[in-house]
Amino acid sequence: MRRNPWFETVAEARRRAEKRLPGMVYGALVAGSERGRTIDDNLKGFADLGFAPRVAGHHAERDLSTTVMGVKTSMPVLISPTGVQAVDPDGEVAVARAAAGRGVIMGLSSFASKPVEEVVAANPDVFFQMYWSGDRDTMARRMERARNAGAKGLIATLDWSFSNGRDWGSPAIPEKVDLRTLLRLAPGVLPRPGWLWRYARTGRVPDLTVPNLRPPGGAAPTFFGAYGEWMRTQPPTWEDVAWLRDEWGSGPFMLKGVTRVDDAKRAVDAGVTALSVSNHGGNNLDTTPATIRVLPSIAEAVGGQIEVLLDGGVRRGGDVAKALALGARAVLIGRAYLWGLAANGQAGVENVLDILRGGLDSAVLGLGRSSVHDLCPDDLVIPPGFRLTLGGGAGPPGRGSAPGGGADAPES
């Protein structure tokens, strides 16, 4: 009997992805830096929060739509930019079509396996993501290409990656896929015929080059070639962030990777349109706190000046509601949609987005709200000591930061 391709939870999408993908590919989706404590805390942070539902006075119709940096989205969930999506032959194009079909914004990594032009053709609401990599002329050319392709906003990601070790070892990702590599990897790939068949039908092998970093008149670098360029680039200053913002022009500009209040304030000074409270999904410095714990202090500090988003650990629609209640404009998802893509291609990504929409709508209904914009801290059960303020920012009355920018004192 054939299994129903539809799944009801993101956890089931992950289970199906693990069964379908070769071990090294699946490992790249779940890996985090060092011991993986930040990944665990991203999930635990949402689990530690509770809801305070109402028993009557609910709204028969609820509005889940919003805007992010001036771009409309049917719900406050964005596709987070992730690198080379070899879990499916159509990769980012399949994700873009799914996002367009569900009316949400697509974030596209500069390390993507598909050109920005193809992705914008599949979904006109694209935010292009860049790292501080290469010289300024090179970065200016990349921004110009994205702008010419029709990208509506830029995401500058600065939180990846200051730690590259994993206690359990990194997955063995090849530099490129050729005949010799295929023969070497065959023992790990042949037990996953479903994934292999997807590529066999297209007549292609997984492409580990990054076309959005192709220099004029040259060949696209491999993922590791692009990573090497990033490692050789001098780390950016706040003046460099301001330059990026100015070079992008008047269009929307998001800074991704903020966990500290002082950094958030500097981001405002640099002229950003929005920031994402992010620890790169646990792939930055391990033991960085969960983003949901540091979100409230950042939202209180700068939320009146710029839009504040969050990524890290979102697996349910209820998680989206909790983030919004604590001050986020929207959230970005990464692993969740990649598991959907691995489980069932474009339809799997649509499936994940539908799951999040359904869970968010249920939360808004149960909390007695008519719109996602009405969610607030009163809708939550927040345990003592949950909130953290990093970077010396002043918290609410009675909760100063520890010297040097540590955690808030426990809440009473």
Side-chain angles (χ1 to χ4, degrees):
M1 180 174 159
R2 186 176 180 182
R3 181 175 59 183
N4 186 345
W6 201 253
F7 43 85
E8 295 184 357
T9 65
V10 172
E12 176 60 20
R14 175 176 176 168
R15 285 191 289 269
R16 294 190 185 188
E18 184 174 13
K19 289 181 178 179
R20 179 179 290 270
L21 295 175
M24 65 177 181
V25 180
Y26 178 74
L29 296 188
V30 298
S33 62
E34 297 179 352
R35 196 169 179 178
R37 291 290 180 86
T38 295
I39 289 181
D40 293 342
D41 197 40
N42 279 345
L43 299 173
K44 185 176 184 296
F46 283 109
D48 286 348
L49 291 170
F51 283 124
R54 289 170 170 79
V55 71
H58 300 112
H59 297 269
E61 296 183 2
R62 295 156 304 279
D63 183 11
L64 305 186
S65 65
T66 189
T67 60
V68 175
M69 301 201 300
V71 179
K72 293 181 180 179
T73 177
S74 67
M75 64 174 172
V77 176
L78 281 68
I79 297 295
S80 186
T82 61
V84 181
Q85 295 177 8
V87 300
D88 184 87
D90 290 333
E92 293 84 1
V93 172
V95 176
R97 289 171 181 154
R102 296 305 187 260
V104 303
I105 298 165
M106 168 81 178
L108 178 69
S109 173
S110 57
F111 277 47
S113 62
K114 302 295 182 185
V116 60
E117 293 83 2
E118 290 185 21
V119 176
V120 173
N123 185 342
D125 294 331
V126 167
F127 294 159
F128 184 72
Q129 175 268 351
M130 281 185 49
Y131 296 101
W132 183 260
S133 180
D135 59 30
R136 285 192 173 189
D137 287 343
T138 298
M139 286 184 272
R141 284 197 304 269
R142 291 168 182 168
M143 284 186 276
E144 182 66 16
R145 176 180 173 182
R147 189 164 38 238
N148 290 340
K152 292 185 176 179
L154 191 79
I155 301 174
T157 299
L158 302 184
D159 62 337
W160 176 72
S161 166
F162 309 118
S163 177
N164 56 20
R166 299 184 177 95
D167 286 9
W168 59 86
S170 299
I173 302 173
E175 176 78 9
K176 61 180 180 179
V177 179
D178 53 19
L179 181 59
R180 177 178 294 182
T181 303
L182 288 173
L183 292 174
R184 179 170 58 85
L185 299 178
V189 173
L190 291 177
R192 298 292 187 268
W195 180 80
L196 191 61
W197 176 240
R198 283 191 191 182
Y199 277 96
R201 287 186 302 175
T202 67
R204 291 176 280 156
V205 296
D207 186 357
L208 301 184
T209 61
V210 284
N212 294 310
L213 301 186
R214 185 192 307 274
T222 65
F223 177 88
F224 289 105
Y227 184 84
E229 179 192 78
W230 172 83
M231 292 185 68
R232 293 188 298 271
T233 303
Q234 186 74 16
T237 64
W238 281 107
E239 288 73 22
D240 291 325
V241 175
W243 174 83
L244 270 176
R245 204 280 165 264
D246 290 343
E247 188 68 26
W248 178 248
S250 60
F253 183 100
M254 182 189 302
L255 180 66
K256 187 173 180 291
V258 176
T259 58
R260 297 169 57 103
V261 169
D262 51 359
D263 278 350
K265 292 177 178 178
R266 294 294 297 271
V268 173
D269 293 340
V272 308
T273 312
L275 63 82
S276 182
V277 180
S278 171
N279 51 41
H280 212 90
N283 279 292
N284 191 5
L285 293 177
D286 196 27
T287 69
T288 300
T291 51
I292 192 67
R293 301 186 192 278
V294 300
L295 168 67
S297 60
I298 292 173
E300 288 170 2
V302 301
Q305 300 166 275
I306 60 173
E307 295 179 6
V308 176
L309 289 81
L310 172 141
D311 64 83
V314 175
R315 302 290 186 269
R316 298 169 178 83
D319 297 340
V320 181
K322 291 172 182 179
L324 269 56
L326 291 181
R329 179 78 174 188
V331 305
L332 299 100
I333 59 169
R335 289 182 176 91
Y337 81 79
L338 289 173
W339 292 330
L341 181 65
N344 197 24
Q346 176 182 334
V349 179
E350 293 168 346
N351 195 157
V352 165
L353 292 173
D354 289 344
I355 290 168
L356 295 178
R357 176 183 294 278
L360 174 61
D361 187 55
S362 293
V364 175
L365 171 63
L367 295 169
R369 303 301 185 182
S370 62
S371 167
V372 290
H373 296 285
D374 297 333
L375 296 168
C376 68
D378 286 345
D379 295 320
L380 303 180
V381 179
I382 305 173
F386 177 85
R387 286 181 40 140
L388 298 175
T389 299
L390 309 184
R399 287 200 297 274
S401 295
D408 283 340
E411 295 184 19
S412 58

